[in-house]
Amino acid sequence: MRIGRFERGGETRIGRFEADVVHDVTTEFDGFQDAISRPGDVADLAGETHDVESVTHLPPTTAENTVFCAALNYEAHAEESNIEVPEWPLVFLKLPRTLVGHGEPISYHTRVTEEIDYEAELAAVMGEPARHVSADEALEYVAGYTILNDTSARDLQLGLQVGDDEMLDWFSGKAMQRTTPVGPYVAVDEIDDPQDLHIASRVDGETMQDDNTGMMIRSVADLVSFVSSRVELKPGDIIATGTPEGVGTFQDIQLNPGETVEIEVEGVGTLENTVEEAE
């Protein structure tokens, strides 16, 4: 089953996505957080049906939720970045205003950056509150999985000089407005093992990243456990699990306006967005 958010007629709705249609189940829930915590009830509802092509996809989370992103969680990506794997998970946050849905433009803020990049990531979506949960029990709190393209302004992220030291500017590189696609929906009860999924990125049809989530340094369960040790996780919160090797900046490749980025994760689907220069 696939649960997501969409907009139709100027209204934000909750839907169960099936092939080419979406069933509107909005009126049965207090909000998306309620729906994602009760997937069994979503499955039992029919709701008004819309053609998927007639709706606008929204990120499958809410402004009340938090998106946590793990950095350097594939060893080969850490190696291509020339950065040692941290002693514990390195996590940064995404602002709600940073996110866009499937099919929406990736904003290229050319006033402040000259180099943006793609990052294919599997993301876990929480279905229950979780605080100080062990890795052994962590997946019991996960409702399902979605896809996140951690589009990054590399010249800003990697170009901060402080005296003789080079620093990473996570805010400027990762949090600019309407730069991070998430979606298209949450795949619920469709993933048996999140550590055995093919993950890939393509730019205008050319494969850039091609790997398996089994190559993560810290598993989804490890990351859920770690984040829950710092803060309480809530239904609708997202944990993005890092990207494999093959990002553009270490191949002297950058995204340009008009190029389309596809992120595909086995069992979840494909997230597709086109780069557009921001006004």
Side-chain angles (χ1 to χ4, degrees):
M1 180 176 61
R2 297 171 175 185
I3 304 171
R5 297 170 64 243
F6 66 96
E7 183 180 290
R8 195 171 191 277
E11 295 184 351
T12 298
R13 316 295 293 174
I14 303 166
R16 187 178 76 250
F17 289 76
E18 295 181 357
D20 298 328
V21 300
V22 54
H23 298 271
D24 189 336
V25 299
T26 308
T27 58
E28 303 298 324
F29 300 96
D30 291 334
F32 183 73
Q33 292 171 309
D34 185 27
I36 203 67
S37 68
R38 296 162 51 200
D41 292 338
V42 175
D44 293 336
L45 297 169
E48 184 180 359
T49 301
H50 307 290
D51 188 323
V52 168
E53 297 299 325
S54 71
V55 306
T56 299
H57 287 264
L58 299 175
T61 185
T62 76
E64 288 73 42
N65 286 116
T66 303
V67 177
F68 303 88
C69 298
L72 303 171
N73 197 36
Y74 287 75
E75 188 168 353
H77 175 57
E79 289 176 357
E80 71 177 352
S81 305
N82 196 30
I83 301 175
E84 291 188 14
V85 174
E87 183 177 349
W88 56 74
L90 176 59
V91 177
F92 59 93
L93 308 181
K94 291 279 187 178
L95 302 172
R97 70 197 71 175
T98 300
L99 311 180
V100 296
H102 168 69
E104 291 296 284
I106 297 169
S107 293
Y108 188 170
H109 298 273
T110 55
R111 292 185 182 186
V112 293
T113 179
E114 297 179 351
E115 182 185 358
I116 63 170
D117 200 357
Y118 53 84
E119 289 190 17
E121 305 201 14
L122 171 70
V125 183
M126 303 305 297
E128 297 182 30
R131 180 69 167 142
H132 294 299
V133 300
S134 69
D136 289 341
E137 62 182 344
L139 295 187
E140 298 174 13
Y141 296 82
V142 173
Y145 299 90
T146 190
I147 303 168
L148 185 141
N149 179 3
D150 183 19
T151 306
S152 307
R154 294 297 190 198
D155 51 347
L156 303 182
Q157 179 193 7
L158 305 176
L160 180 61
Q161 196 76 23
V162 181
D164 295 330
D165 298 322
E166 293 182 356
M167 307 291 287
L168 294 176
D169 185 348
W170 292 104
F171 170 69
S172 297
K174 300 288 191 176
M176 283 193 290
Q177 193 149 311
R178 298 187 62 78
T179 54
T180 303
V182 188
Y185 33 64
V186 183
V188 177
D189 295 330
E190 297 193 17
I191 305 298
D192 293 328
D193 182 2
Q195 303 311 139
D196 187 21
L197 303 174
H198 178 243
I199 181 170
S201 65
R202 295 182 291 272
V203 178
D204 282 353
E206 180 180 354
T207 298
M208 312 305 289
Q209 295 171 283
D210 190 0
D211 213 323
N212 188 282
T213 58
M215 300 305 292
M216 288 181 194
I217 298 168
R218 278 105 181 180
S219 68
V220 175
D222 290 334
L223 293 173
V224 171
S225 176
F226 173 79
V227 175
S228 79
S229 75
R230 273 37 178 185
V231 295
E232 181 182 24
L233 288 163
K234 298 180 179 181
D237 284 350
I238 289 177
I239 299 179
T241 56
T243 196
E245 69 173 325
V247 298
T249 192
F250 303 116
Q251 307 179 72
D252 293 325
I253 295 171
Q254 64 184 61
L255 295 175
N256 297 294
E259 291 181 328
T260 296
V261 184
E262 297 172 277
I263 309 297
E264 183 176 3
V265 177
E266 179 184 357
V268 181
T270 301
L271 174 66
E272 181 178 322
N273 304 80
T274 299
V275 179
E276 182 178 288
E277 186 170 349
E279 296 181 356

